[in-house]
Amino acid sequence: MNLLETRTLCELPTLQNALDDLHLWTQRNYMLLNGGKCLTMHVTFARNPPQPPPLRIDDTDLAVVPSLKVLGLTIQSDLHWDKQVNNMVAKSGRKLFLLKRLKKFNLPQCDLVAIYIGYIRPILEYAVPVWSSGLTKRQSDQLKRLQKRACRTIMGNSYTGYQHALEHLGLSTLATRREHLCLKFA
């Protein structure tokens, strides 16, 4: 469960009241909240933000973290996407190894493309409407390098360049895909 509070710096925080109400509700319904497993993350764009009061559940201070994972998406308190992109790059890089192994079994290119589209590319496009507008050029290039590696692996010695590989394999750039997925989502 996620609780969110939006307020200006001069307003008093009310999130502790919501936590207390939630704790009471869980007790009345014979459930327990484990304060040791609950986290808090503060997002602010102020240059010198005041220290927010600690949040507590049942006399346990909630740990303040700079980033957290929600439904497989890593959100940072500065709302940058470095950790999310690094996680995607690492995970898809490990799966590219499978593509290399399958290439050695002389699978047809169309099968290798299908494996890339169904097994690797979804990692690079997970929750794209949430994070794509916040990508930096460097992060976009990191993701693009992965698709280039996949194209190079699939095409082997016939790889001459990224654009040629995309046309030959019937793929579009990840940037184009991100734009399309965001428009489709909206």
Side-chain angles (χ1 to χ4, degrees), residues 40-41 64-68 75-78 83:
T40 181
M41 182 175 74
V64 179
V65 295
S67 66
L68 50 87
I75 302 172
Q76 296 173 222
S77 61
D78 59 4
K83 289 185 179 185

Side-chain angles (χ1 to χ4, degrees), residues 7 18 24 69 81 83 85 95 105-106 122 124 131 137-138 167 178 181:
R7 65 183 178 88
L24 280 171
K69 206 166 205 175
W81 299 103
K83 289 185 179 185
V85 170
K95 295 197 186 252
F105 290 108
N106 295 322
L124 302 174
W131 53 263
K137 172 87 169 98
R138 183 185 61 79
E167 291 168 12
R178 284 193 298 270
L181 290 169

Side-chain angles (χ1 to χ4, degrees), residues 23-86:
H23 183 64
L24 280 171
W25 183 87
T26 57
Q27 285 179 330
R28 276 190 241 123
N29 289 284
Y30 306 105
M31 293 186 271
L32 293 174
L33 279 178
N34 186 345
K37 291 185 177 180
C38 297
L39 304 171
T40 181
M41 182 175 74
H42 302 288
V43 177
T44 181
F45 300 109
R47 286 194 181 124
N48 298 314
Q51 186 62 32
L55 296 173
R56 304 173 64 83
I57 292 178
D58 199 27
D59 297 327
T60 303
D61 285 346
L62 301 184
V64 179
V65 295
S67 66
L68 50 87
K69 206 166 205 175
V70 179
L71 298 175
L73 188 70
T74 305
I75 302 172
Q76 296 173 222
S77 61
D78 59 4
L79 297 183
H80 291 158
W81 299 103
D82 300 317
K83 289 185 179 185
Q84 174 64 23
V85 170
N86 291 340

Side-chain angles (χ1 to χ4, degrees), residues 15-25 56-58:
L15 194 55
Q16 184 61 55
N17 296 338
L19 279 174
D20 293 339
D21 292 344
L22 177 65
H23 183 64
L24 280 171
W25 183 87
R56 304 173 64 83
I57 292 178
D58 199 27

